[in-house]
Amino acid sequence: MDNWQWRTPPVFFGWGCTHSELLSFLSFRGKRWAVCMGSHFLQREWSHWQEVAHDYGLEVEAFVVRGGEPTVPQVDELTMRVKAYQPDGIVGIGGGTVLDTAKAVAAMVVHPGSVGDYLEEVGTKKLFSQPLPWVGVPTTAGTGSESTKNSVIIVPEKRVKRSLRHDMLWSQGVFLDPALTLSQPWEVTVNAGLDAFTHLLEAAVSKKFHPFALALADRFLGDIIEGLSCLKEHPEDREAREKLLVASNAGGMALANGGLGSVHGFAATLGGMTDIPHGRVCGIILDHVVEVNRRYTERYEMLALVKHHGGSEGFVHFLSQWKKMLGVDTDFRRWNLALDPVEIVRLSTSSSMKANPADVPASDWIAMWKNLL
Ligand SMILES: [Fe+2]
C-alpha cells in the first residue's frame, strides 16, 4: 500500500444545528461574517437566522450567489464585494454552487488577480496565502463540497470546468442540518443524490485507492438508493433526508481523499459545454462508464453492493433499472446537443479522468459517446 493521509474538516450533524451550534461555533472564530447563500435560503431562512446571529454578537451580511454553476467572472465579482465588506470569515449556506463559490472567494480575497489564474490546467499561478476561514452548510445532499478542498469553476471562454484545489481550502467546520434539505424539489434531490452516489462509487475504485473511501462506499451507497427511492414518494421523509445528507458528506470526504474517475472527467467537459445539471450528467453516464471500465478492471468487484448484484455485470444492470425507476434519462438525445464524441473524449483531461480505475482506449470512450448523443 502506498503512503496516504485522510483529511476532513470537523463535521456537526443535527436537526436545527445551523442555529445555536453553528452560531456559537462562529462566535469563537470571528465577529464579522460574509454569508454566501442561494436565493432559497435568502427567502426562507435569512431574516430569522440573521436575528439569531445578532443575539450571538455576530455581524453578518448576505451575499447572494446566483443559480447555475459558478463561473470565473461570477467568483471574481463576488470576491470584490466580499473584500469590500472586510469579513473575519465566510459562511457558505446552499447547494454545491454556493459552497464552491464561498470556498473560492475565501481564497481569492487574499490573492491578487482572477480565480482563473489559479485553476488547474488553465491557470499558471498557485495559491500561496492562507484563505479566510470558511464554514460549509449544505442545503442539498449532493456535491459534498463542504468536505472537499477544491472548488469547481466554469471558464466560459474555454468552455471547460476546472478546479481551484489546495490543502489550504478545507473548511473550518461543516454543519449538516437535514431541516435545510426538506423543501428541495424532486429534480434537485435526485440530481444531487446521483452526484453523491457517483462520488462514493468513483472514489472507492479510483486509481488513488484509499481504504477509507471503499469503507464509506460500502456503508453509504445503499443509503442513497434507499433514500432516493423513499423521497420520490415521500419528499418530507425525515429519515431519508438524514441518510442522503450524511451520505453526500461521506461522498465529499471520499472524493477529496480518494479521487474520482471518468464519470466526473466527462461531466467536467459537458459542464463547460451545456447547461445540463452536473448530477444529471453523472446519472446519465454512470452505468455506461462502469460498463466500459469493467472490461479493463476488476476493481468494482471489491464493493459490497457489486457483490450483492452478482458482480459488475449485474451491477450495471441494476444501475440502469434503478435509473429508470428514478426517471433518469438513459442518454442525451432529447437535448440535441450536437456535440462531437471525438471532441468530448479529446477535451476530457481533468484530474478525475486520470484517476479512472482503468486505462481505457479512447476508441471505447468514443463508441460510448456515439451511443449516448
Ligand atoms: Fe460531482
Side-chain angles (χ1 to χ4, degrees):
M1 192 183 290
D2 294 332
N3 294 2
W4 55 260
Q5 54 172 278
W6 181 264
R7 297 185 62 180
T8 77
V11 181
F12 301 79
F13 169 86
W15 290 84
C17 72
T18 38
H19 285 99
S20 56
E21 279 160 286
L22 169 60
L23 292 167
S24 168
F25 182 91
L26 296 179
S27 68
F28 284 106
R29 287 163 178 80
K31 183 172 174 58
R32 196 170 161 85
W33 292 85
V35 186
C36 297
M37 67 186 77
S39 53
H40 196 78
F41 187 82
L42 179 74
Q43 285 155 15
R44 287 172 172 263
E45 310 279 347
W46 172 245
S47 69
H48 176 61
W49 194 86
Q50 186 183 25
E51 273 176 32
V52 185
H54 289 155
D55 293 342
Y56 277 80
L58 299 173
E59 291 171 21
V60 289
E61 178 87 6
F63 292 87
V64 179
V65 178
R66 76 165 188 84
E69 293 179 30
T71 65
V72 167
Q74 283 164 14
V75 171
D76 288 347
E77 188 268 335
L78 193 64
T79 298
M80 275 174 46
R81 289 198 285 127
V82 169
K83 208 171 182 173
Y85 179 63
Q86 296 189 314
D88 296 324
I90 294 175
V91 184
I93 306 184
T97 293
V98 172
L99 298 177
D100 275 5
T101 302
K103 195 186 302 182
V105 168
M108 291 313 300
V109 290
V110 294
H111 286 85
S114 162
V115 70
D117 301 337
Y118 299 85
L119 296 182
E120 285 179 345
E121 294 191 50
V122 297
T124 54
K125 295 182 183 169
K126 297 248 180 279
L127 297 180
F128 56 86
S129 188
Q130 186 67 39
L132 282 188
W134 83 277
V135 174
V137 183
T139 60
T140 59
T143 67
S145 174
E146 68 279 3
S147 284
T148 71
K149 58 175 178 177
N150 70 306
S151 172
V152 185
I153 296 169
I154 295 175
V155 187
E157 66 274 20
K158 293 189 188 290
R159 298 182 77 206
V160 294
K161 278 165 62 169
R162 288 295 180 262
S163 276
L164 178 71
R165 191 187 312 268
H166 201 283
D167 271 338
M168 294 186 296
L169 283 175
W170 296 105
S171 72
Q172 299 294 300
V174 168
F175 287 77
L176 305 177
D177 181 353
L180 296 178
T181 70
L182 268 182
S183 58
Q184 292 294 356
W186 170 246
E187 276 302 297
V188 173
T189 301
V190 68
N191 289 341
L194 288 163
D195 189 25
F197 186 93
T198 311
H199 295 157
L200 285 165
L201 179 67
E202 292 208 294
V205 300
S206 109
K207 245 181 205 157
K208 291 169 67 179
F209 175 73
H210 199 301
F212 291 3
L214 179 59
L216 289 181
D218 277 347
R219 172 62 186 79
F220 291 110
L221 284 173
D223 277 8
I224 296 180
I225 295 166
E226 283 176 26
L228 283 181
S229 302
C230 175
L231 291 171
K232 189 163 193 283
E233 306 301 327
H234 309 286
E236 300 217 345
D237 187 282
R238 290 166 66 94
E239 197 184 330
R241 290 289 181 188
E242 288 178 355
K243 277 183 179 170
L244 278 185
L245 187 58
V246 174
S248 78
N249 183 249
M253 293 176 189
L255 81 89
N257 292 283
L260 288 167
S262 289
V263 177
H264 275 80
F266 291 129
T269 303
L270 254 70
M273 295 172 155
T274 76
D275 292 331
I276 307 172
H278 169 72
R280 179 54 59 117
V281 173
C282 291
I284 293 172
I285 65 178
L286 176 61
D287 49 332
H288 301 276
V289 167
V290 177
E291 175 56 32
V292 173
N293 271 341
R294 74 179 198 87
R295 297 178 207 147
Y296 298 95
T297 179
E298 294 185 350
R299 278 179 185 248
Y300 294 102
E301 315 296 334
M302 296 185 295
L303 283 156
L305 183 63
V306 174
K307 288 180 190 151
H308 175 74
H309 289 285
S312 59
E313 188 179 356
F315 179 56
V316 170
H317 179 69
F318 160 75
L319 288 176
S320 69
Q321 294 302 112
W322 181 50
K323 281 169 51 176
K324 260 185 214 151
M325 191 276 287
L326 296 176
V328 177
D329 314 69
T330 53
D331 56 45
F332 293 95
R333 295 209 166 82
R334 77 180 165 95
W335 280 276
N336 288 321
L337 292 180
L339 297 176
D340 176 6
V342 177
E343 193 69 354
I344 293 175
V345 174
R346 189 184 69 79
L347 291 172
S348 298
T349 57
S350 67
S351 50
S352 297
M353 209 71 203
K354 289 165 192 147
N356 191 58
D359 295 319
V360 175
S363 56
D364 284 38
W365 291 133
I366 292 166
M368 181 192 85
W369 277 103
K370 280 183 179 162
N371 281 329
L372 283 169
L373 292 171

